[in-house]
Amino acid sequence: MLRVLAADGMEKGAVKELRELGFEVVEQFYEPEALMEQVKEFDVLVVRSATKVREPIIDAALSTKRLRLIIRGGVGVDNIDVAYAREHGIEVCNTPNASSVSVAELAIGHMFSIARFIGIANYTMREGKWEKKAYKGTELMGKTLGLIGIGRIAQETAKRASALGMKVIYTNRSGHKPEYEPYTRYELDELLALSDYVSLHTPGPKGSPPILSAEKLALMKKGAVLINTGRGNMVDASALLDALDEGRLRGYGVDVYAEEPCTDERLLHHPKVSMTPHVGGSTVEAQERIGAEVVAHIRRVFNK
């Protein structure tokens, strides 16, 4: 029987479908050393963001030559040594379409949270405070949203921002393409200077320094807001918190962190930070779509 290890869990409808197709599905998280032993006995490994599939784990799988497919249930594959796996005949794929809407909606949610003090007002009211005068907000309508990256999630974010009356601009590495209309492309430095809100949607080259370094953050428009649902290591967190403390930036909406779970006390307790625990793709709808894409990949590879 073909065996599937869902190391970070799997949507129950997908599990049911795979079992009906004759697969054995095991839903179990393993620490790296244990995973090195377990992976030898599976044909498919499905992960989310918690499990890292590095060279030693791939080497362990190669000892039995059973593992044929690694699937990342999500957009990025930076927690998998993709080139190494493929070099040794193991196919690697992801589910890039499934969670785009969910992540985009969360990015917009963080914009609203900061613009209208939703997070901090919720907290202070539960402490018995009524700080109505302190929470005079601003509208999103008429503001400029700068997107760093213009992939699927950024494009979904752009659609929603446009519907709210925001002006959308973007920057990317590949240059302007017709499918990115009607948004205008700028170089990064120009975008930072023009945008009231900046939303990060690019992972950057592996091992590269943060895209938003202290120098780049200093170029942002005074009073601007940064939203990060992309990658935690693409922002210099210390410099960002300095900018918030000094009033150069108004707020930071964040769902991803350089280290997870986040233990940065300064970030965790900052009143100008709206934060969520990496839940961008954690919606019922996204999980159903991820499950469907995972099943489709498995059926394709194993001709089911």
Side-chain angles (χ1 to χ4, degrees):
M1 177 180 287
L2 295 168
R3 305 185 74 214
V4 178
L5 175 58
D8 299 328
M10 187 185 295
E11 193 271 327
K12 61 184 179 181
V15 173
K16 181 175 182 290
E17 184 174 354
L18 286 171
R19 287 174 176 163
E20 288 174 350
L21 289 167
F23 290 89
E24 178 186 352
V25 181
V26 176
E27 296 181 86
Q28 178 66 54
F29 174 79
Y30 293 101
E31 295 294 343
E33 287 190 7
L35 182 59
M36 287 174 65
E37 291 302 314
Q38 294 294 326
V39 76
K40 299 174 184 179
E41 306 303 323
F42 287 89
D43 304 277
V44 182
L45 174 60
V46 183
V47 302
R48 294 295 304 276
S49 57
T51 297
K52 309 296 187 284
V53 189
R54 302 304 181 200
E55 290 186 13
I57 290 171
I58 295 168
D59 285 337
L62 292 171
S63 69
T64 59
K65 299 187 183 301
R66 182 166 179 174
L67 188 67
R68 291 177 55 187
L69 176 64
I70 302 171
I71 305 174
R72 160 73 162 97
V75 178
V77 289
D78 42 332
N79 58 325
I80 303 170
D81 285 339
V82 177
Y84 189 76
R86 289 174 176 167
E87 179 185 334
H88 290 85
I90 300 172
E91 183 171 342
V92 180
C93 52
N94 62 348
T95 60
N97 300 308
S99 58
S100 297
V101 168
S102 295
V103 179
E105 289 186 358
L106 182 65
I108 296 292
H110 277 298
M111 293 182 206
F112 274 120
S113 179
I114 293 168
R116 299 305 307 271
F117 300 98
I118 295 171
I120 189 65
N122 177 68
Y123 176 77
T124 56
M125 282 192 70
R126 292 171 190 270
E127 289 191 323
K129 299 176 182 178
W130 186 264
E131 299 186 334
K132 182 174 180 177
K133 292 182 179 179
Y135 299 141
K136 179 185 277 187
T138 58
E139 296 177 350
L140 296 185
M141 187 174 73
K143 304 302 189 295
T144 296
L145 169 62
L147 300 169
I148 300 179
I150 192 68
R152 294 177 180 88
I153 296 171
Q155 290 178 54
E156 293 294 341
T157 305
K159 292 175 189 176
R160 286 150 182 79
S162 296
L164 291 168
M166 301 183 81
K167 176 184 177 181
V168 178
I169 62 177
Y170 74 94
T171 189
N172 65 341
R173 294 190 296 269
S174 61
H176 180 74
K177 296 180 181 178
E179 59 263 36
Y180 301 149
E181 297 288 358
Y183 316 119
T184 303
R185 182 183 185 276
Y186 288 87
E187 293 300 323
L188 177 59
D189 290 3
E190 296 176 291
L191 177 137
L192 294 174
L194 291 169
S195 300
D196 301 293
Y197 288 79
V198 173
S199 192
L200 186 60
H201 296 282
T202 181
K206 189 175 181 179
S208 64
I211 290 173
L212 294 182
S213 61
E215 292 75 18
K216 295 298 183 184
L217 290 168
L219 298 176
M220 289 181 68
K221 188 175 183 179
K222 182 174 173 56
V225 171
L226 177 63
I227 306 295
N228 186 8
T229 56
R231 294 291 184 277
N233 61 356
M234 288 295 99
V235 179
D236 184 327
S238 178
L240 172 70
L241 290 165
D242 288 343
L244 292 173
D245 287 342
E246 295 162 10
R248 291 186 284 112
L249 296 182
R250 182 181 177 193
Y252 181 42
V254 57
D255 186 52
V256 289
Y257 308 87
E259 293 185 4
E260 297 184 354
C262 177
T263 58
D264 184 334
E265 291 294 323
R266 190 179 172 204
L267 182 64
L268 285 167
H269 299 289
H270 203 289
K272 294 183 180 179
V273 174
S274 171
M275 58 198 325
T276 45
H278 203 155
V279 296
S282 296
T283 63
V284 171
E285 296 86 353
Q287 294 309 304
E288 289 175 349
R289 290 191 293 264
I290 288 171
E293 285 196 43
V294 166
V295 171
H297 283 307
I298 294 172
R299 295 192 69 169
R300 171 181 55 81
V301 170
F302 293 93
N303 296 313
K304 289 285 188 174

